Amino acid sequence: MFFSKMLIPTLKEAPSDADIVSVKLMVRSGMMRKLASGLYELLPLGLKVLRKVENIIRQEMNSAGGQEVIFPLIFPKALLLETGRWNVYGKELFKLKDRKDVEFCLAPTAEEVVTDLIRKDIKSYKQLPVMLYQFGTKFRDEIRPRFGVMRSREFLMKDAYSFHTDEADLEKYYKTMFDAYTNICIKCGFQFRAVEAVSGAIGGSFSHEFMVLTDTGEEEMTWCNCGYGTNSEKAECLKIEQSKEEVLPAEEILTPDVGAVEDVAKLLNLSPKKFIKTMIYIADKKPVVVLVRGDHEINEIKLQTLLGADETALADEQTVISVTNAPIGFAGPARLKNIKIIADLSVAELSNALTGANKKDYHLKNVNFKRDYNADIVADIRKVMRGDICPRCKKEELKFSRGIEIGHTFKLGTKYSKSMNALYLDANGKEKFIIMGCYGIGVTRILAATIEQSHDDDGIIWPDNIAPFEVAIVPLNYADEKTKETTEKIHKELSSKGLDVLIDDRDERAGIKFKDADLIGIPYRITISEKNLANGNVELKARRDGKDTIRLLKPEGVVSELLKIFKK
Ligand code: ATP
Ligand code: MG
């Protein structure tokens, strides 16, 4: 392929709204352009990478016994109402009406559609297990579209769905898919980690997120050398034991105009670890009191799961006043009546703690669990933090890293088959719910994640397997007869063996050609100059190596070297 014939509109500068390095480089290298917020065009170079990633994924899905399908991108509202997801997804769904005013949405993922297919076409245990997958555009009206194709409003996802007769079969297959996802990450050249995760709107009992490790990642993971690893949102927190003190009488103290834990701690010269932070939440329209230690933070996902609530949010000022009889900042669990109290494990451990007194400008000293207040539930409801001990080995301090979630695998169980009544007949002719798993991977997000993980000041460094071209030939003067001849010979030999080669035939200065080659990030560059050709040589350089690693080789030597590298 000739550079001059392809649409590769490289840019010296990134547009001012490019928010992370992968967006800057995707736009500058001419892979991608922005149409509107969260909507991007992939140009020929971008699409070449996307197709390579797609093929890696397709191979792995086929090896895992999957069958490829294509579903519509427009779903009837009625289907998503069956599972309640029309409302759970809420504003993230792009909704539309047809000419008869019937409502639809654009595909966010396809659990309902595939379950509908299966409930109509699978009748017997003899047809199970089965796994269907597709590469399909997904639409999500994200609150904050950002980071280019990393969090866009339209993106390509590979979504797969498996159907089983029982949990044991799902369990076995989940492992197969876990291995397939691991292989995909390895083939794409990622440094990654698979961690346990919160299932979000898709639901289900158990899931893993495949995280590409990079400091710019939106997600935080918590892990331990013992093998424990989870999304920080889900990290379990152990009870922090405290040595019990002699219980002292409770005592009101004046703290005029000081409500926040840090300010009260300063005023009284006490560690926030001695505080009970008292927050009023509204869970499904009812107020609840939530207690964590002064230096801890409430994990709203844990809280919501514990309460089995559809919605939880901090209460407004009026509710706080009506629950505590005091302005915000003076709430405490003692003296509260007729309200559900939920205490974190480490709060119940505190002796002689400090809390708000439910009275303006007053706090209460020496508050003790059971004597001064009770809790309806004592459970793990806080966020993990630096210094916490691993909940699995209970020995080492947890470690934290940031990452980009590129894939998500779920054991769904009967979540969808129950609400959609997807049944099969077992060997005894008895009706049973089909057991499901689902497995998503963000194909377009993989492009951005790769670049986040693999770039330098000059541009992208594509891993060999997913590079848009494997080799770039840069003839410095393509008009020179000998140069042209050598270029074409090398090109012919490499491409006849299946390598993708880009020839920079443009009439540009060498500096510009080199800059573009580095920016685009093709793994190997062959430079052909009249000067070196005079000695029968051409240059070979690997993109990931420094400039001092350029080697002079005969054209045949370059060809055989590259064929060896790419195992052709
Ligand atoms: P996130 O937590 O990042 O919003 P999610 O849990 O909503 O992701 P899933 O519904 O599990 O994502 O979708 C499967 C995969 O699709 C994700 O692992 C990710 O790679 C990709 N993906 C999800 N949302 C987007 C998006 N807005 N833009 C690009 N890719 C996305
Ligand atoms: Mg999401």
Side-chain angles (χ1 to χ4, degrees), residues 184-235:
I184 292 167
C185 287
I186 293 170
K187 287 185 179 168
C188 288
F190 285 135
Q191 306 267 333
F192 70 101
R193 191 178 277 278
V195 297
E196 292 168 22
V198 176
S199 300
I202 290 179
S205 54
F206 194 77
S207 76
H208 278 102
E209 284 174 350
F210 284 76
M211 300 278 205
V212 168
L213 304 175
T214 136
D215 292 340
T216 52
E218 280 187 293
E219 306 282 339
E220 190 189 64
M221 300 160 261
T222 308
W223 54 278
C224 176
N225 289 323
C226 76
Y228 178 75
T230 178
N231 187 312
S232 292
E233 284 177 346
K234 201 188 176 185

CSV table of all heavy atoms in Angstrom, one decimal, residues 184-235:
chain,number,residue,atom,x,y,z
A,184,ILE,N,-6.6,-13.3,24.6
A,184,ILE,CA,-6.8,-12.1,23.8
A,184,ILE,C,-5.9,-11.0,24.3
A,184,ILE,O,-5.2,-10.3,23.5
A,184,ILE,CB,-8.3,-11.6,23.9
A,184,ILE,CG1,-9.2,-12.6,23.1
A,184,ILE,CG2,-8.5,-10.2,23.3
A,184,ILE,CD1,-10.7,-12.4,23.4
A,185,CYS,N,-5.9,-10.9,25.6
A,185,CYS,CA,-5.0,-9.8,26.2
A,185,CYS,C,-3.5,-10.1,25.9
A,185,CYS,O,-2.8,-9.1,25.6
A,185,CYS,CB,-5.2,-9.8,27.7
A,185,CYS,SG,-6.8,-9.1,28.2
A,186,ILE,N,-3.1,-11.3,25.9
A,186,ILE,CA,-1.7,-11.6,25.6
A,186,ILE,C,-1.4,-11.3,24.2
A,186,ILE,O,-0.5,-10.7,23.8
A,186,ILE,CB,-1.4,-13.1,25.9
A,186,ILE,CG1,-1.5,-13.4,27.5
A,186,ILE,CG2,0.0,-13.5,25.4
A,186,ILE,CD1,-1.4,-14.8,27.9
A,187,LYS,N,-2.3,-11.8,23.3
A,187,LYS,CA,-2.1,-11.5,21.8
A,187,LYS,C,-2.1,-10.1,21.5
A,187,LYS,O,-1.4,-9.6,20.5
A,187,LYS,CB,-3.1,-12.3,21.0
A,187,LYS,CG,-2.9,-13.8,21.0
A,187,LYS,CD,-3.9,-14.5,20.1
A,187,LYS,CE,-3.7,-16.0,20.1
A,187,LYS,NZ,-4.8,-16.7,19.4
A,188,CYS,N,-2.9,-9.3,22.2
A,188,CYS,CA,-2.9,-7.8,21.9
A,188,CYS,C,-1.7,-7.1,22.6
A,188,CYS,O,-1.5,-5.9,22.4
A,188,CYS,CB,-4.2,-7.2,22.4
A,188,CYS,SG,-5.6,-7.6,21.5
A,189,GLY,N,-0.9,-7.9,23.3
A,189,GLY,CA,0.3,-7.3,23.9
A,189,GLY,C,0.1,-6.6,25.1
A,189,GLY,O,1.0,-5.7,25.5
A,190,PHE,N,-0.9,-6.8,25.9
A,190,PHE,CA,-1.2,-6.0,27.1
A,190,PHE,C,-0.5,-6.5,28.3
A,190,PHE,O,-0.3,-7.7,28.5
A,190,PHE,CB,-2.7,-6.1,27.4
A,190,PHE,CG,-3.6,-5.3,26.5
A,190,PHE,CD1,-4.8,-5.8,26.0
A,190,PHE,CD2,-3.3,-4.0,26.2
A,190,PHE,CE1,-5.6,-5.1,25.2
A,190,PHE,CE2,-4.1,-3.2,25.4
A,190,PHE,CZ,-5.2,-3.8,24.9
A,191,GLN,N,-0.1,-5.6,29.2
A,191,GLN,CA,0.2,-5.8,30.6
A,191,GLN,C,-1.2,-5.7,31.3
A,191,GLN,O,-1.8,-4.7,31.2
A,191,GLN,CB,1.0,-4.7,31.2
A,191,GLN,CG,2.3,-4.4,30.4
A,191,GLN,CD,3.4,-5.2,31.0
A,191,GLN,OE1,3.4,-5.6,32.2
A,191,GLN,NE2,4.4,-5.6,30.2
A,192,PHE,N,-1.7,-6.8,31.9
A,192,PHE,CA,-3.0,-6.7,32.3
A,192,PHE,C,-3.2,-7.6,33.6
A,192,PHE,O,-2.3,-8.3,34.0
A,192,PHE,CB,-4.0,-7.3,31.2
A,192,PHE,CG,-3.8,-8.8,31.0
A,192,PHE,CD1,-4.7,-9.7,31.6
A,192,PHE,CD2,-2.8,-9.3,30.3
A,192,PHE,CE1,-4.6,-11.0,31.4
A,192,PHE,CE2,-2.6,-10.6,30.1
A,192,PHE,CZ,-3.5,-11.5,30.7
A,193,ARG,N,-4.4,-7.5,34.2
A,193,ARG,CA,-4.7,-8.2,35.4
A,193,ARG,C,-6.2,-8.4,35.3
A,193,ARG,O,-7.0,-7.5,35.0
A,193,ARG,CB,-4.4,-7.3,36.6
A,193,ARG,CG,-4.4,-8.0,37.9
A,193,ARG,CD,-4.0,-7.0,39.0
A,193,ARG,NE,-2.6,-6.9,39.1
A,193,ARG,CZ,-1.8,-7.8,39.8
A,193,ARG,NH1,-2.4,-8.8,40.5
A,193,ARG,NH2,-0.5,-7.6,39.9
A,194,ALA,N,-6.7,-9.7,35.6
A,194,ALA,CA,-8.1,-9.9,35.7
A,194,ALA,C,-8.5,-9.8,37.2
A,194,ALA,O,-7.9,-10.5,38.0
A,194,ALA,CB,-8.4,-11.3,35.2
A,195,VAL,N,-9.5,-9.0,37.5
A,195,VAL,CA,-9.9,-8.8,38.9
A,195,VAL,C,-11.4,-9.1,39.0
A,195,VAL,O,-12.2,-8.9,38.1
A,195,VAL,CB,-9.6,-7.4,39.4
A,195,VAL,CG1,-8.1,-7.2,39.4
A,195,VAL,CG2,-10.3,-6.3,38.6
A,196,GLU,N,-11.8,-9.4,40.2
A,196,GLU,CA,-13.2,-9.6,40.5
A,196,GLU,C,-13.9,-8.2,40.5
A,196,GLU,O,-13.3,-7.2,40.9
A,196,GLU,CB,-13.4,-10.3,41.9
A,196,GLU,CG,-13.0,-11.7,41.8
A,196,GLU,CD,-12.9,-12.3,43.2
A,196,GLU,OE1,-13.6,-11.8,44.1
A,196,GLU,OE2,-12.2,-13.3,43.4
A,197,ALA,N,-15.2,-8.2,40.1
A,197,ALA,CA,-15.7,-6.8,39.9
A,197,ALA,C,-17.2,-6.8,40.3
A,197,ALA,O,-17.9,-7.8,40.6
A,197,ALA,CB,-15.6,-6.5,38.5
A,198,VAL,N,-17.7,-5.5,40.4
A,198,VAL,CA,-19.1,-5.3,40.7
A,198,VAL,C,-19.8,-5.4,39.4
A,198,VAL,O,-19.3,-4.9,38.3
A,198,VAL,CB,-19.3,-3.9,41.2
A,198,VAL,CG1,-20.8,-3.6,41.4
A,198,VAL,CG2,-18.6,-3.7,42.6
A,199,SER,N,-21.0,-6.0,39.3
A,199,SER,CA,-21.6,-6.3,38.0
A,199,SER,C,-22.3,-5.2,37.4
A,199,SER,O,-22.7,-5.3,36.2
A,199,SER,CB,-22.5,-7.5,38.2
A,199,SER,OG,-21.8,-8.6,38.6
A,200,GLY,N,-22.6,-4.1,38.1
A,200,GLY,CA,-23.3,-2.9,37.5
A,200,GLY,C,-24.7,-3.3,36.9
A,200,GLY,O,-25.3,-4.2,37.4
A,201,ALA,N,-25.1,-2.5,35.9
A,201,ALA,CA,-26.4,-2.7,35.3
A,201,ALA,C,-26.7,-4.0,34.7
A,201,ALA,O,-27.8,-4.5,34.6
A,201,ALA,CB,-26.7,-1.6,34.3
A,202,ILE,N,-25.6,-4.7,34.3
A,202,ILE,CA,-25.9,-6.1,33.7
A,202,ILE,C,-26.3,-7.1,34.7
A,202,ILE,O,-27.1,-8.0,34.4
A,202,ILE,CB,-24.6,-6.5,32.9
A,202,ILE,CG1,-24.5,-5.6,31.7
A,202,ILE,CG2,-24.7,-8.0,32.5
A,202,ILE,CD1,-23.3,-5.9,30.8
A,203,GLY,N,-25.8,-6.9,35.9
A,203,GLY,CA,-26.2,-7.7,37.0
A,203,GLY,C,-25.6,-9.1,37.1
A,203,GLY,O,-24.5,-9.3,36.5
A,204,GLY,N,-26.2,-10.0,37.7
A,204,GLY,CA,-25.6,-11.4,37.9
A,204,GLY,C,-24.8,-11.5,39.1
A,204,GLY,O,-24.5,-10.5,39.8
A,205,SER,N,-24.3,-12.7,39.4
A,205,SER,CA,-23.8,-12.9,40.7
A,205,SER,C,-22.3,-12.7,40.8
A,205,SER,O,-21.7,-12.5,41.9
A,205,SER,CB,-24.1,-14.3,41.2
A,205,SER,OG,-23.7,-15.2,40.2
A,206,PHE,N,-21.6,-12.8,39.7
A,206,PHE,CA,-20.2,-12.8,39.8
A,206,PHE,C,-19.6,-12.4,38.5
A,206,PHE,O,-20.1,-12.7,37.4
A,206,PHE,CB,-19.7,-14.3,40.0
A,206,PHE,CG,-18.3,-14.3,40.5
A,206,PHE,CD1,-17.9,-14.0,41.8
A,206,PHE,CD2,-17.3,-14.7,39.6
A,206,PHE,CE1,-16.6,-14.0,42.2
A,206,PHE,CE2,-16.0,-14.8,40.0
A,206,PHE,CZ,-15.6,-14.4,41.3
A,207,SER,N,-18.5,-11.6,38.5
A,207,SER,CA,-17.9,-11.1,37.3
A,207,SER,C,-16.4,-10.8,37.4
A,207,SER,O,-16.0,-10.6,38.6
A,207,SER,CB,-18.7,-9.9,36.7
A,207,SER,OG,-18.3,-8.8,37.4
A,208,HIS,N,-15.7,-10.9,36.3
A,208,HIS,CA,-14.3,-10.5,36.3
A,208,HIS,C,-14.2,-9.3,35.3
A,208,HIS,O,-14.7,-9.3,34.2
A,208,HIS,CB,-13.4,-11.6,35.8
A,208,HIS,CG,-13.1,-12.6,36.8
A,208,HIS,ND1,-13.8,-13.8,36.9
A,208,HIS,CD2,-12.2,-12.5,37.9
A,208,HIS,CE1,-13.3,-14.5,38.0
A,208,HIS,NE2,-12.3,-13.7,38.6
A,209,GLU,N,-13.3,-8.4,35.7
A,209,GLU,CA,-13.0,-7.3,34.7
A,209,GLU,C,-11.5,-7.6,34.3
A,209,GLU,O,-10.7,-7.9,35.1
A,209,GLU,CB,-13.0,-5.9,35.4
A,209,GLU,CG,-14.4,-5.4,35.6
A,209,GLU,CD,-14.5,-4.1,36.4
A,209,GLU,OE1,-13.4,-3.7,37.0
A,209,GLU,OE2,-15.5,-3.5,36.5
A,210,PHE,N,-11.3,-7.4,33.0
A,210,PHE,CA,-9.9,-7.5,32.5
A,210,PHE,C,-9.4,-6.1,32.4
A,210,PHE,O,-9.9,-5.3,31.6
A,210,PHE,CB,-9.9,-8.3,31.1
A,210,PHE,CG,-10.1,-9.8,31.4
A,210,PHE,CD1,-11.3,-10.3,31.7
A,210,PHE,CD2,-9.0,-10.6,31.3
A,210,PHE,CE1,-11.5,-11.6,31.9
A,210,PHE,CE2,-9.2,-12.0,31.6
A,210,PHE,CZ,-10.4,-12.5,31.9
A,211,MET,N,-8.4,-5.8,33.2
A,211,MET,CA,-7.8,-4.5,33.3
A,211,MET,C,-6.5,-4.4,32.6
A,211,MET,O,-5.6,-5.1,32.9
A,211,MET,CB,-7.6,-4.1,34.7
A,211,MET,CG,-8.9,-4.2,35.5
A,211,MET,SD,-9.8,-2.6,35.3
A,211,MET,CE,-10.7,-2.6,36.8
A,212,VAL,N,-6.3,-3.4,31.8
A,212,VAL,CA,-5.0,-3.1,31.2
A,212,VAL,C,-4.4,-2.1,32.2
A,212,VAL,O,-5.0,-1.1,32.5
A,212,VAL,CB,-5.2,-2.4,29.8
A,212,VAL,CG1,-3.9,-1.8,29.3
A,212,VAL,CG2,-5.8,-3.5,28.8
A,213,LEU,N,-3.2,-2.4,32.6
A,213,LEU,CA,-2.5,-1.6,33.6
A,213,LEU,C,-1.9,-0.3,33.0
A,213,LEU,O,-1.1,-0.4,32.2
A,213,LEU,CB,-1.4,-2.4,34.3
A,213,LEU,CG,-1.8,-3.7,34.9
A,213,LEU,CD1,-0.6,-4.5,35.4
A,213,LEU,CD2,-2.9,-3.5,36.0
A,214,THR,N,-2.5,0.8,33.5
A,214,THR,CA,-1.9,2.1,33.1
A,214,THR,C,-2.4,3.2,34.1
A,214,THR,O,-3.5,3.1,34.6
A,214,THR,CB,-2.2,2.6,31.7
A,214,THR,OG1,-2.5,4.0,31.7
A,214,THR,CG2,-3.3,1.8,31.1
A,215,ASP,N,-1.5,4.1,34.4
A,215,ASP,CA,-1.8,5.1,35.4
A,215,ASP,C,-2.9,6.0,35.0
A,215,ASP,O,-3.5,6.7,35.8
A,215,ASP,CB,-0.6,6.0,35.7
A,215,ASP,CG,0.5,5.1,36.4
A,215,ASP,OD1,0.1,4.1,37.0
A,215,ASP,OD2,1.7,5.5,36.4
A,216,THR,N,-3.2,6.0,33.7
A,216,THR,CA,-4.3,6.9,33.2
A,216,THR,C,-5.6,6.2,33.2
A,216,THR,O,-6.6,6.8,32.8
A,216,THR,CB,-4.0,7.4,31.8
A,216,THR,OG1,-3.8,6.2,31.0
A,216,THR,CG2,-2.8,8.3,31.7
A,217,GLY,N,-5.7,5.0,33.7
A,217,GLY,CA,-6.9,4.2,33.7
A,217,GLY,C,-8.0,4.9,34.6
A,217,GLY,O,-7.7,5.5,35.6
A,218,GLU,N,-9.3,4.7,34.2
A,218,GLU,CA,-10.4,5.2,35.0
A,218,GLU,C,-10.7,4.4,36.3
A,218,GLU,O,-11.3,4.9,37.2
A,218,GLU,CB,-11.6,5.3,34.2
A,218,GLU,CG,-11.7,6.4,33.2
A,218,GLU,CD,-13.1,6.4,32.5
A,218,GLU,OE1,-13.4,5.5,31.8
A,218,GLU,OE2,-13.9,7.3,32.8
A,219,GLU,N,-10.3,3.1,36.2
A,219,GLU,CA,-10.6,2.2,37.3
A,219,GLU,C,-9.4,2.1,38.3
A,219,GLU,O,-8.3,2.2,37.9
A,219,GLU,CB,-10.9,0.8,36.7
A,219,GLU,CG,-12.0,0.8,35.7
A,219,GLU,CD,-13.4,0.9,36.2
A,219,GLU,OE1,-13.6,0.6,37.4
A,219,GLU,OE2,-14.3,1.3,35.5
A,220,GLU,N,-9.8,1.8,39.5
A,220,GLU,CA,-8.7,1.4,40.5
A,220,GLU,C,-8.9,0.0,40.9
A,220,GLU,O,-10.0,-0.5,41.1
A,220,GLU,CB,-8.8,2.3,41.7
A,220,GLU,CG,-7.6,2.2,42.5
A,220,GLU,CD,-7.7,2.9,43.9
A,220,GLU,OE1,-8.6,2.5,44.7
A,220,GLU,OE2,-6.9,3.8,44.1
A,221,MET,N,-7.8,-0.7,41.0
A,221,MET,CA,-7.8,-2.1,41.4
A,221,MET,C,-7.0,-2.2,42.7
A,221,MET,O,-6.1,-1.5,43.0
A,221,MET,CB,-7.1,-3.0,40.5
A,221,MET,CG,-7.5,-3.1,39.2
A,221,MET,SD,-6.2,-3.8,38.1
A,221,MET,CE,-5.6,-2.3,37.4
A,222,THR,N,-7.5,-3.2,43.5
A,222,THR,CA,-6.9,-3.5,44.8
A,222,THR,C,-6.4,-5.0,44.7
A,222,THR,O,-7.2,-5.8,44.2
A,222,THR,CB,-7.9,-3.4,45.9
A,222,THR,OG1,-8.5,-2.2,45.7
A,222,THR,CG2,-7.4,-3.6,47.2
A,223,TRP,N,-5.2,-5.2,45.0
A,223,TRP,CA,-4.7,-6.6,44.9
A,223,TRP,C,-3.6,-7.0,45.9
A,223,TRP,O,-3.1,-6.1,46.6
A,223,TRP,CB,-4.2,-6.9,43.5
A,223,TRP,CG,-3.2,-5.9,43.0
A,223,TRP,CD1,-3.4,-4.6,42.5
A,223,TRP,CD2,-1.7,-6.0,43.0
A,223,TRP,NE1,-2.2,-4.0,42.2
A,223,TRP,CE2,-1.2,-4.9,42.5
A,223,TRP,CE3,-0.9,-7.1,43.4
A,223,TRP,CZ2,0.2,-4.7,42.4
A,223,TRP,CZ3,0.5,-6.9,43.3
A,223,TRP,CH2,1.0,-5.7,42.8
A,224,CYS,N,-3.3,-8.3,45.9
A,224,CYS,CA,-2.3,-8.7,46.9
A,224,CYS,C,-1.5,-9.8,46.3
A,224,CYS,O,-2.0,-10.5,45.3
A,224,CYS,CB,-3.1,-9.3,48.1
A,224,CYS,SG,-2.0,-10.0,49.4
A,225,ASN,N,-0.3,-10.0,46.7
A,225,ASN,CA,0.6,-11.0,46.2
A,225,ASN,C,0.0,-12.4,46.4
A,225,ASN,O,0.4,-13.3,45.7
A,225,ASN,CB,2.0,-10.9,46.8
A,225,ASN,CG,2.7,-9.7,46.4
A,225,ASN,OD1,2.6,-9.3,45.2
A,225,ASN,ND2,3.4,-9.0,47.3
A,226,CYS,N,-0.9,-12.6,47.3
A,226,CYS,CA,-1.5,-13.9,47.5
A,226,CYS,C,-2.5,-14.3,46.4
A,226,CYS,O,-2.9,-15.4,46.4
A,226,CYS,CB,-2.2,-13.9,48.9
A,226,CYS,SG,-3.9,-13.1,48.8
A,227,GLY,N,-2.7,-13.4,45.5
A,227,GLY,CA,-3.6,-13.8,44.3
A,227,GLY,C,-4.9,-13.0,44.4
A,227,GLY,O,-5.7,-13.0,43.4
A,228,TYR,N,-5.3,-12.4,45.5
A,228,TYR,CA,-6.5,-11.6,45.6
A,228,TYR,C,-6.4,-10.5,44.7
A,228,TYR,O,-5.4,-9.8,44.5
A,228,TYR,CB,-6.7,-11.1,47.1
A,228,TYR,CG,-7.9,-10.3,47.3
A,228,TYR,CD1,-9.1,-10.9,47.4
A,228,TYR,CD2,-7.8,-8.9,47.5
A,228,TYR,CE1,-10.3,-10.1,47.6
A,228,TYR,CE2,-8.9,-8.1,47.7
A,228,TYR,CZ,-10.1,-8.7,47.8
A,228,TYR,OH,-11.2,-8.0,48.0
A,229,GLY,N,-7.5,-10.2,44.0
A,229,GLY,CA,-7.5,-9.0,43.1
A,229,GLY,C,-9.0,-8.6,42.8
A,229,GLY,O,-9.8,-9.5,42.5
A,230,THR,N,-9.3,-7.4,43.0
A,230,THR,CA,-10.7,-6.9,42.8
A,230,THR,C,-10.7,-5.5,42.4
A,230,THR,O,-9.7,-4.7,42.6
A,230,THR,CB,-11.5,-7.2,44.0
A,230,THR,OG1,-12.8,-6.7,43.8
A,230,THR,CG2,-11.0,-6.4,45.2
A,231,ASN,N,-11.8,-5.1,41.7
A,231,ASN,CA,-12.1,-3.7,41.5
A,231,ASN,C,-12.2,-3.0,42.9
A,231,ASN,O,-12.8,-3.6,43.7
A,231,ASN,CB,-13.4,-3.6,40.7
A,231,ASN,CG,-13.7,-2.2,40.3
A,231,ASN,OD1,-13.6,-1.2,41.1
A,231,ASN,ND2,-14.0,-2.0,39.0
A,232,SER,N,-11.5,-1.9,43.1
A,232,SER,CA,-11.5,-1.3,44.4
A,232,SER,C,-13.0,-1.0,44.9
A,232,SER,O,-13.2,-1.1,46.1
A,232,SER,CB,-10.8,0.0,44.4
A,232,SER,OG,-9.4,-0.2,44.2
A,233,GLU,N,-13.9,-0.8,44.0
A,233,GLU,CA,-15.3,-0.6,44.4
A,233,GLU,C,-15.8,-1.8,45.2
A,233,GLU,O,-16.7,-1.7,46.0
A,233,GLU,CB,-16.2,-0.5,43.2
A,233,GLU,CG,-16.1,0.8,42.5
A,233,GLU,CD,-17.0,0.7,41.2
A,233,GLU,OE1,-17.4,-0.3,40.8
A,233,GLU,OE2,-17.2,1.8,40.7
A,234,LYS,N,-15.2,-3.0,44.9
A,234,LYS,CA,-15.8,-4.2,45.5
A,234,LYS,C,-14.9,-4.7,46.7
A,234,LYS,O,-15.3,-5.7,47.3
A,234,LYS,CB,-15.9,-5.3,44.4
A,234,LYS,CG,-16.9,-6.3,44.8
A,234,LYS,CD,-16.9,-7.5,43.8
A,234,LYS,CE,-17.8,-8.6,44.2
A,234,LYS,NZ,-17.7,-9.8,43.4
A,235,ALA,N,-13.7,-4.1,46.8
A,235,ALA,CA,-12.8,-4.7,47.8
A,235,ALA,C,-13.4,-4.8,49.2
A,235,ALA,O,-14.0,-3.9,49.7
A,235,ALA,CB,-11.5,-3.8,47.9
